[in-house]
Structure formats: C-alpha cells, structure tokens
Amino acid sequence: MAVQEARQGTEAPRGAGAHDGGCTCGDCPHGARAGHRRAEAEFLLQRDGFAAGHGLPAAVAHSVSASRQWVSEELTQSAELVAERGRAEGEAWLTRLWLRTAATVWAAVVALLLVQALTAVGAGWSDARTAGLLAALVVAGALTTASWFHRARGGALAPVIGEDNRLSTSRAVAAAWVLLVAYAVLVLVGRLAAASGHAERDALLSGLDLSRGAGVVTVLAVVCVIAVLVRRVVGVRVLAQRLQKVRAARPRAADLLTDDAGRGTFADIQYVVIGAVALVFAAVRLARRPDQLPDLPWGLAVVVLVSAATYLAGKYAEGGRPVILSVVRAREAGDLDAPIRTGDDIEIRGAGFVPPGAQTADRLSRMVVRIGPVHVHVPLVPVTGGFSNPTDAVLTVPVPADVEPGRVDVQVVTAAGAETNRYAIDVTD
C-alpha cells in the first residue's frame, strides 16, 4: 500500500488536496501527517527499488563498493527527510493531544454523573453523591488547567511522558494511584464541609485514620518510590552505557506494555494489570464506603508490592552494553582465503549493535565503526522489506585506505551513542 501511495503521489498534481503535505496552515496536523506518510512511502519505494537493482547510475554500477556507498548515501538522505517529517508530525500530535486529554477528563465526569443518577433512582440523592461529583469537578478542573499549561507537551499526559518521549509505565501507575487518593480525600473534605453534627464530623475524620487506609497508603508510597527510583536507575544505566535509549517520534498507549522496540514485556504487563485490578477494587470500595479512605486489604496490597518489586527487578535486568565478539574478513563465494587488507570488507560479530527502537533507517545510518583512528560509517544495504546491513549481531564495513597496516583496534559506536569494547585486528599490506 505504501508503494502504491508513493506511485500515486508522484503522478498527482501538487495542489490536488488541501492537506497533501505541502499545507500552509501553520501547525496544521493534517499537513504534517500527510507529509510524513508521503515521505515514508517514497522512501520505501526507493529502498525496494535499490534492493532490486534499479536506479543505479552508470558511473557506479561497475563497482560493488561504489554502488553500495552511493545507495547508502541516497537512502540516508531520504531517511533523514522521513525522520524530519516524523518529528513534525509528532510535535503536531502532541500539540493537539491536550484537547483530547481534557475532553477525556470531562467525559469521565459526565460518566460519573450518569452513574450516580442511575444509582440514585429509588435510593435518593445523598450528600456522598454530591461530594463525589464536586470532587470530580475539582480534579477535572485541575487536570484541565494543567493540560493548558502543558499543551505543547501532551496536556495532562505530560508528567507521565519520559525523557525518551514515551509513556512511562511507572509514572502512569503512580499517577493513577495519586489521582485516586486525592479524589478520595476530596470526597471526605466535601462530606466534612456538609456535615452538621459533631458525631458525623468525628466519624468522617476517623475515616482518615491510618488503621483504615494503611493498605492504600502503603501502595501509594511504594508506587511513587518506584516511579522515582526507576527514573534514577534508567538514567544511571544510560550514563554508564549499560542501557541504550533512543528517542521515540511520539508517545503511544502501547508504551505502557512494551519495551522501546515495541515488544510486550512481562514486567510491564503484570505491573499494569495488577495495578489496574487493585485500583478498580479501591475505587469500588470508595464508592461503597465514601466516609473513609479505601480500605485495601493487605492481601491485595502485598500482591501489588510483589508486582512492583518484579517491575523494578525487570528494569535492573533489561538492556546491556553492546559487545564485539569477533572480527573476520568478509569473504564472497569464489574468493581465496587471505588476511585482512585495506579495501577489504570486515564482518564484525557481536550483540547489541542496534538499540531497541533504532530499527529505522535514519537511526541505522548513524552507526559508526572506529578502525584505528578512522571513523567508518556503516553502509545501509537494502533488501526487500528492510536492510541486511547493519543488524543487531553483524556489521559489515570496508577497511579504508587511510588505515595504516599493523595492529589496530576496532570499536562500534551505536545510534544511542554507546561504545563497544575494543577488538584488535591485524591489517596487512
């Protein structure tokens, strides 16, 4: 479909649509989205064409190394255009996200009003329902105000978006518990303000006793500590080059359940699922007993604590520094066995060369191999549907003529800026 879109785009006139990627409406999200889709489709068409051997100029077609270098440079330039359009689309998406978050918050308030109205049939309207509705209005107003001040960063979702422009699982879980506890306290405040008798006020104040809300307070403290600790752990591991992080184009809901490469992870999934179940239980307990903090049973609280510990352990275990295991001379069919010489291709075998989330062409083109004092950019070798070079476990680069014969060190620098170990090879005349 992308290839067909690119072909149609080349045939269609420039002004065929109001939002065809050349839109002049300022920060119009339609123009940013259409421009990104068109650039991506044209890149895929170009990549698959080069993979099939089409589009090579006659000046480089006679040389394998020259044609490979030319193709890599062309794809790199196209990939940079795709990345630029993707960043523009991501910024436009974040800018309009604050309206969506505000609309979602007020939709939740309307849903609460409808539920209260339905449950009041026969039972009658109570002070607890009024307090719950007023608390919801206060929380919604605060979130809407925060959304406006952070409208360029995703509105109400700004606090749960990490430095890598992805939704943070630990921050999202902690924010959900903070909102629930804040809402519960506001409900008690509303009921306390409407109470007329001393006995009723004393009963409401006793609802804030730690003995009744110890479970939910413990869970709140732990998930907040986890959110802060995970940020520290990730930052330290990135600086120590034990974890590779690349920035995403924009946050997605799937970030809560997946790693940076978009693969589902057990630690994140179980933390979100168990946290959501416990959160729903606490919300139901608050609805049934609006005169006290949600009395989360210790059994359920311990389950949440075990889940949080598992999530934290997963954060410590993930990642790893890229490593070179071996370097050999790349040999094509029919070549004689020989030592490594300048001009030869070398095959670098190892692990962790492509960081999670760096599978796009613009990220792959940033990989560099140091051979002695010379920095060699890893060429992009296209195949239908992707690239055969570079990969996470194998890189192939030429040994440039500027490398002096003798013993030299080889080191890979990934798209995330992490450096591998140094591996010594012998280059002969």
Side-chain angles (χ1 to χ4, degrees):
M1 293 180 62
V3 173
Q4 293 175 357
E5 182 180 352
R7 289 173 178 169
Q8 295 171 0
T10 56
E11 296 173 359
R14 171 59 91 178
H19 305 285
D20 58 355
C23 180
T24 58
C25 302
D27 295 330
C28 175
H30 303 286
R33 187 188 309 115
H36 181 219
R37 291 181 61 187
R38 177 169 290 104
E40 188 174 25
E42 291 175 353
F43 170 79
L44 295 177
L45 180 62
Q46 183 185 40
R47 183 199 64 191
D48 292 344
F50 286 149
H54 305 309
L56 290 176
V60 299
H62 66 282
S63 173
V64 175
S65 60
S67 61
R68 182 178 60 185
Q69 184 65 29
W70 186 86
V71 167
S72 179
E73 293 294 337
E74 290 294 314
L75 290 176
T76 298
Q77 293 179 9
S78 298
E80 290 175 354
L81 176 61
V82 173
E84 180 182 352
R85 295 290 178 86
R87 287 190 292 270
E89 181 189 5
E91 292 174 358
W93 185 86
L94 277 178
T95 301
R96 68 180 186 272
L97 181 61
W98 81 274
L99 289 174
R100 296 181 179 180
T101 57
T104 301
V105 168
W106 287 104
V109 174
V110 173
L112 176 63
L113 176 60
L114 293 177
V115 171
Q116 288 186 340
L118 291 175
T119 56
V121 176
W125 193 267
S126 63
D127 293 339
R129 289 185 172 88
T130 302
L133 184 59
L134 291 177
L137 291 174
V138 172
V139 173
L143 290 177
T144 303
T145 303
S147 297
W148 189 85
F149 281 108
H150 296 85
R151 58 189 180 278
R153 285 288 302 156
L157 294 182
V160 299
I161 297 177
E163 288 73 14
D164 58 352
N165 207 30
R166 294 181 177 88
L167 288 180
S168 170
T169 302
S170 59
R171 297 185 194 181
V173 172
W177 281 101
V178 168
L179 288 177
L180 176 66
V181 173
Y183 175 76
V185 173
L186 287 175
V187 170
L188 289 175
V189 170
R191 294 206 61 192
L192 186 63
S196 57
H198 291 288
E200 185 179 1
R201 286 195 293 267
D202 292 341
L204 291 172
L205 289 175
S206 64
L208 291 172
D209 288 345
L210 186 60
S211 59
R212 296 189 178 184
V216 71
V217 171
T218 302
V219 169
L220 175 66
V222 170
V223 295
C224 289
V225 170
I226 290 292
V228 176
L229 187 58
V230 164
R231 181 179 181 182
R232 174 63 177 172
V233 168
V234 171
V236 170
R237 287 173 61 82
V238 169
L239 292 178
Q241 298 191 19
R242 294 194 298 269
L243 179 66
Q244 301 188 70
K245 299 284 286 186
V246 295
R247 185 176 177 83
R250 66 177 179 87
R252 304 176 186 274
D255 295 339
L256 299 177
L257 305 174
T258 62
D259 59 9
D260 293 352
R263 299 183 297 263
T265 57
F266 171 76
D268 293 61
I269 292 174
Q270 61 87 29
Y271 190 44
V272 171
V273 171
I274 293 178
V277 170
L279 199 67
V280 171
F281 182 91
V284 172
R285 291 296 296 170
L286 177 63
R288 300 293 296 177
R289 297 292 303 272
D291 57 344
Q292 65 180 43
L293 289 176
D295 52 341
L296 197 67
W298 275 111
L300 184 55
V302 171
V303 170
V304 176
L305 299 185
V306 172
S307 175
T310 303
Y311 174 76
L312 182 61
K315 286 299 179 182
Y316 270 105
E318 72 177 2
R321 187 168 183 173
V323 59
I324 296 177
L325 300 178
S326 61
V327 178
V328 299
R329 177 177 176 270
R331 177 180 177 274
E332 296 182 359
D335 285 352
L336 298 177
D337 295 331
I340 299 175
R341 297 187 176 90
T342 56
D344 290 343
D345 288 342
I346 57 174
E347 187 177 279
I348 305 172
R349 303 171 183 174
F353 297 149
V354 180
Q359 290 81 9
T360 56
D362 64 301
R363 300 288 187 181
L364 295 177
S365 64
R366 296 183 181 181
M367 299 182 64
V368 176
V369 176
R370 294 197 191 105
I371 305 178
V374 183
H375 291 69
V376 183
H377 286 271
V378 180
L380 299 176
V381 180
V383 294
T384 302
F387 297 93
S388 63
N389 186 67
T391 64
D392 188 63
V394 179
L395 306 177
T396 301
V397 295
V399 179
D402 294 332
V403 176
E404 296 292 337
R407 195 167 186 83
V408 296
D409 290 332
V410 176
Q411 189 177 31
V412 176
V413 182
T414 69
E419 299 179 344
T420 66
N421 56 304
R422 297 178 182 270
Y423 193 94
I425 62 173
D426 294 316
V427 178
T428 61
D429 294 330

